Amino acid sequence: MKLERHPALNSEFSMNGRRYCRTIHFALVLVILLGGCRSQKAPAGPTVQFTKIPPAAQGGRERVDTIAGRVTGARPGQQIVIYARSGPWWVQPWPDKPFIPIQADSTWGTSTHLGFEYAAMLIDPGYNPPPTMDVAPTQGGSVVTVSIVKGTGAPQLAPVKPLHFSGYDWEVRTISADRGGLNNLYGADNAWIDASGALHLRITKKGDRWSCAELEMTRSLGYGTYIITVRDTTHLEPAAVLSMNTFDDWGGDQHYRELDVEFGRWGDATSKNNAQFGIQPFYVPGNVAPFALPKGTFTHSMHWESGRASFRTVRGSTMQPGAQVVSEHVFTSGVPSPGQERFQMLFYVVASEKYPLQNENEVVVEKFEYLP
């Protein structure tokens, strides 16, 4: 028995079939177009690769290594600039020799001081790299592209001398460092405790260079009140500076969480002020409060809380009510929040053409206190 569709059904089937064919045709065209778009990718931009990565190690001028790599897509005139991170990002190998040429085979290489991380920047002609950066370099402007890599192996820290002072454990620096515009030596013998428990810091001569003192607490304390009692500092030469501050090697985004109580004339013998309170960056107006400190022993306090850092200096060895206040200042703008900062003390030499350091210098810190 032959079955036949109703004429109306035949007509509907024919219309639906044409619709179905048009749908399939449209889908095929769409697939072809999309496939064509995917196959026409935009050309990739320049890239910088590493072929030799130095170890991960605390920076200093004592140790250097080689860093090398390859560039793809570089244009004529472009060069490489390298930064190594140890605290700040330091341009390599020296601030006056920052540009690394790209060879004919697209490779590059240079010596570098060690750091925990390394950044390679492809830069256009005319770029002026700063000696240091607080945060990692980024792409933009004359910086065509940036590649950042961690140093190889477990991080290597510089050797230190342990010291116990005022109930806390500290580490004394033993390698050189850039501070105050000079590359100073730092020696373990320049910090010691006397029979009364006071801390002595000194600057001594080692050959034709000055050897300085730096010690850092082994743990972070965070918000609270930091109190330091220091004997007379008016005898210091203009180029000798004592800095007592919080510092976070990994806190570049908050200016290393540095809050300072400092003593010295920063190389200027004519300055009437020989002490200051400060937060970083120091070049921002209002971030430094200088004052004149007379002869004698003084106690200096820094109360650090959210959005506020209050400093005070009083005469004598205690911060008792009624003590004579020599100077006080409150910062409420740009105050950092806690991170991995540690309290440190540095006694070092600054650059000074008119008044370079002539003799060994020494300061005595009677005690350190912390109140949460």
Side-chain angles (χ1 to χ4, degrees), residues 16 22 42 49 72 86 96 171-172 217 229 250 267 307 323 341 357:
N16 287 339
R22 284 197 298 269
Q49 299 173 327
T72 60
S86 183
D96 60 344
E171 295 175 337
V172 182
M217 192 174 290
T229 300
W250 307 102
E341 77 291 330
L357 198 70

Side-chain angles (χ1 to χ4, degrees), residues 167-169 216-221 341-343 370:
Y168 293 89
D169 291 322
E216 183 179 81
M217 192 174 290
T218 59
R219 64 189 181 95
S220 176
L221 299 177
E341 77 291 330
R342 297 180 180 184
F343 193 80
Y370 168 75

Side-chain angles (χ1 to χ4, degrees), residues 187-192 200-204 206 211-214 347-348 360-363:
D189 296 335
N190 291 332
W192 78 96
H200 291 247
L201 303 175
R202 65 178 180 177
I203 299 172
T204 58
K206 297 293 184 183
S211 179
C212 307
E214 176 183 327
F347 191 37
Y348 62 96
E360 296 188 352
N361 282 247
E362 182 175 333
V363 292

Side-chain angles (χ1 to χ4, degrees), residues 12-22:
E12 182 179 345
F13 176 81
S14 177
M15 293 174 61
N16 287 339
R18 287 195 296 271
R19 292 194 192 102
Y20 178 79
C21 290
R22 284 197 298 269

Side-chain angles (χ1 to χ4, degrees), residues 53-232:
I53 303 171
Q58 187 171 355
R61 298 201 178 193
E62 292 79 2
R63 294 182 60 191
V64 296
D65 207 319
T66 300
I67 188 169
R70 182 180 299 275
V71 180
T72 60
R75 298 190 302 271
Q78 292 179 335
Q79 298 184 85
I80 296 293
V81 172
I82 300 297
Y83 281 85
R85 181 182 186 183
S86 183
W89 291 85
W90 301 84
V91 71
Q92 300 299 320
W94 302 104
D96 60 344
K97 297 179 180 179
F99 300 110
I100 314 303
I102 300 171
Q103 304 302 320
D105 61 355
S106 299
T107 62
W108 57 268
T110 183
S111 62
T112 180
H113 298 89
L114 301 186
F116 297 110
E117 294 180 275
Y118 302 91
M121 307 162 54
L122 178 65
I123 56 97
D124 282 328
Y127 177 71
N128 185 24
T132 64
M133 296 184 183
D134 287 346
V135 296
T138 57
Q139 179 180 339
S142 296
V143 180
V144 180
T145 188
V146 180
S147 292
I148 299 176
V149 67
K150 294 184 181 299
T152 59
Q156 305 170 27
L157 300 179
V160 294
K161 182 185 85 171
L163 192 70
H164 193 74
F165 169 61
S166 285
Y168 293 89
D169 291 322
W170 308 74
E171 295 175 337
V172 182
R173 187 182 184 94
T174 62
I175 66 171
S176 65
D178 290 297
R179 187 85 176 183
L182 287 179
N183 179 251
N184 290 310
L185 299 175
Y186 283 83
D189 296 335
N190 291 332
W192 78 96
I193 309 299
D194 66 21
S196 70
L199 170 67
H200 291 247
L201 303 175
R202 65 178 180 177
I203 299 172
T204 58
K205 201 67 177 282
K206 297 293 184 183
D208 61 348
R209 298 179 64 187
W210 293 108
S211 179
C212 307
E214 176 183 327
L215 69 160
E216 183 179 81
M217 192 174 290
T218 59
R219 64 189 181 95
S220 176
L221 299 177
Y223 286 147
T225 303
Y226 299 74
I227 304 171
I228 318 103
T229 300
V230 185
R231 294 178 189 167
D232 184 55

